[in-house]
Amino acid sequence: MLERFGIDGPVRMQRTAHGLLNRVWQVDAADGRRFVLKQYLDDAGHASSGALTAQHRTIAALAASGLPTVPPAAAEDGRTLVLQRGRRYALFPFVDGAPPGSLSLPAAAGLGTLLGSIHAELRRIQPPVLDACGPWPTADPEQTRITITTLLGAARARTPREPFDALAEQRLRERLVLLDAYAGRRPGPRSAPPAGWVHGDFHPLNLLYRGERPVAVLDWDRLGVKPVTDEAVRAATQFFCAPVSGVLDLARLRAYARAYRAASGHTAEQMAAGVHRVWWERLNDFWMLRWRYARRDDRANELFPAAAAQIVWWCEEYQQVLDAYVN
């Protein structure tokens, strides 16, 4: 398959742990060049040939506009997507860098400028969104209670028992109390900020930095149409949170949000709508526990403690968090 990209005799191919949805290898070619080979496995509408080809065109257009994206290499037939034995592959140039650590205030603002510029450029180059106002459904707290009951039973029945299962039980019972307290604040389906094209998975593991300079935005597999400021709000909760407590660094968040609004053109009111929707989403979301107990997949376990603690803190400090995003 690599020969179809004009690569003969790779010196080394190594499977990486990067990515939860696809398979990825680092390729060291005989001529000294380095690549990343990606095999697309997700078939939920994101990994069709048409969707992936359009995604590759978008990445190239963003790169042409000066944004740090990494377009895939073309195969010998000129295509960036190769079908081999029923699987779809793409080859990307290797970019030297690392996920960002703790960002300084100027670097936090730079991150906001980056995401805001991506959203603005996507608005320019992608097809127009015909119904930007939705409706965009939100989580049903009654369904969430059913999910919690199911997960509690699974956590109690887990054998052998681990400390994680005790923490899961504690957080699930805690979430029932929070749902009772905040069920009346469910956002309506027409209360969402305007929808537009978004990266879809903008978090620290999908960015590469050298020092405090972003050099690559990776993994555009979730490129699609969503309420735009939802992504801006969600990203900040992952970049600016304490690793165990989940508490947000409001000073860095404020610098990021101010820069994002300036680059994207979104208003404080649209940001506020995103804040409320993401807060509600997090209050009702248990994907990490569903992976563990329903799919028997523990890869997301390490994310759960901070995420579960963050929503408790966010409920207590809702107004301060909102103020950091919009003022």
Side-chain angles (χ1 to χ4, degrees), residues 142-214:
E142 292 307 315
Q143 183 59 51
T144 301
R145 289 185 176 91
I146 295 172
T147 299
I148 290 174
T149 300
T150 301
L151 290 171
L152 274 171
R156 290 166 182 154
R158 176 89 173 195
T159 54
R161 291 277 293 174
E162 299 175 8
F164 184 98
D165 302 304
L167 175 64
E169 283 191 56
Q170 173 196 335
R171 292 305 192 186
L172 287 165
R173 289 193 298 269
E174 182 179 59
R175 200 70 62 88
L176 285 172
V177 174
L178 291 175
L179 280 173
D180 287 340
Y182 295 106
R185 296 183 61 183
R186 177 184 181 183
R190 291 283 181 181
S191 66
W197 289 89
V198 297
H199 176 278
D201 202 17
F202 195 87
H203 61 71
L205 294 181
N206 281 341
L207 268 73
L208 294 179
Y209 273 62
R210 294 189 199 124
E212 291 205 325
R213 181 173 67 89

Side-chain angles (χ1 to χ4, degrees), residues 204-263:
L205 294 181
N206 281 341
L207 268 73
L208 294 179
Y209 273 62
R210 294 189 199 124
E212 291 205 325
R213 181 173 67 89
V215 293
V217 181
L218 307 173
D219 287 352
W220 290 79
D221 302 335
R222 296 301 189 194
L223 175 70
V225 175
K226 297 278 182 65
V228 179
T229 59
D230 283 15
E231 175 161 89
V233 172
R234 189 178 301 109
T237 66
Q238 296 171 292
F239 280 93
F240 307 117
C241 72
V244 177
S245 69
V247 171
L248 296 174
D249 185 323
L250 296 182
R252 285 171 172 76
L253 192 156
R254 190 181 302 275
Y256 157 90
R258 184 185 300 121
Y260 171 81
R261 295 197 311 271

